[in-house]
Amino acid sequence: LTWTVTTTNSGNVTLTGVNFTEVAGVTLSACTPTLPTTLAPGASATCTASYTTTQADADAGLFTNSVFATGTDPAAGPVTSNTATATVTIAKSAALTQTKVGVLDMTVVAPTTRADVGDKSHYTITVTNTGNVTLTGVTVVDPLLGALVCAPVQPGTLLPGASMVCTGSYTLTQGDINAGT
């Protein structure tokens, strides 16, 4: 995130040592004039501020930053500006993708050279968080397979880019063999 912060000497005396105080890990750069600085009445100092968002920021859907300026008046007294606050909205994009791969196991029932009633189809289901927010309560349901073994255990929590892999098996029926699938 980037934004611009500006302070103006709105008083009638020159201020020395004028500087900004940022919070929340924000980095100030490209300040004009270079800080700390001296500001005559009516003069301003402007900086670019940058911040690298965290997963917590994306999950919250926003980032709020506050800044204030400080300086010293000619009588060596401290001067502090009002606190300016800006909130940047981070668009949440929750998304899951899923793949399912099946492998026929013809070794359960003899002969092992063909599919027979009682042989198994073993499935691997992979669910990936393709969004930009952390997803909780992720659960894979496959009514044909029944109980699945998943890692992480479901219901699970998936950070962006993370996956849950589940496995389960199905026992072939005569109807499946007759249908050929």
Side-chain angles (χ1 to χ4, degrees), residues 49-144:
S50 63
Y51 173 76
T52 301
T53 58
T54 66
Q55 189 58 53
D57 299 328
D59 290 345
L62 56 88
F63 175 75
T64 300
N65 177 253
S66 297
V67 61
F68 62 91
T70 58
T72 304
D73 70 21
V79 177
T80 301
S81 73
N82 63 304
T83 299
T85 300
T87 298
V88 177
T89 301
I90 301 169
K92 291 183 175 187
S93 177
L96 287 171
T97 59
Q98 173 179 276
T99 60
K100 184 176 183 179
V101 177
V103 176
L104 180 60
D105 179 0
M106 297 185 299
T107 64
V108 178
V109 176
T112 60
T113 56
R114 68 174 193 211
D116 290 290
V117 172
D119 279 338
K120 303 268 185 185
S121 285
H122 302 292
Y123 291 94
T124 301
I125 302 166
T126 304
V127 177
T128 303
N129 180 349
T130 55
N132 68 345
V133 294
T134 302
L135 300 176
T136 59
V138 178
T139 304
V140 178
V141 177
D142 189 322
L144 192 61

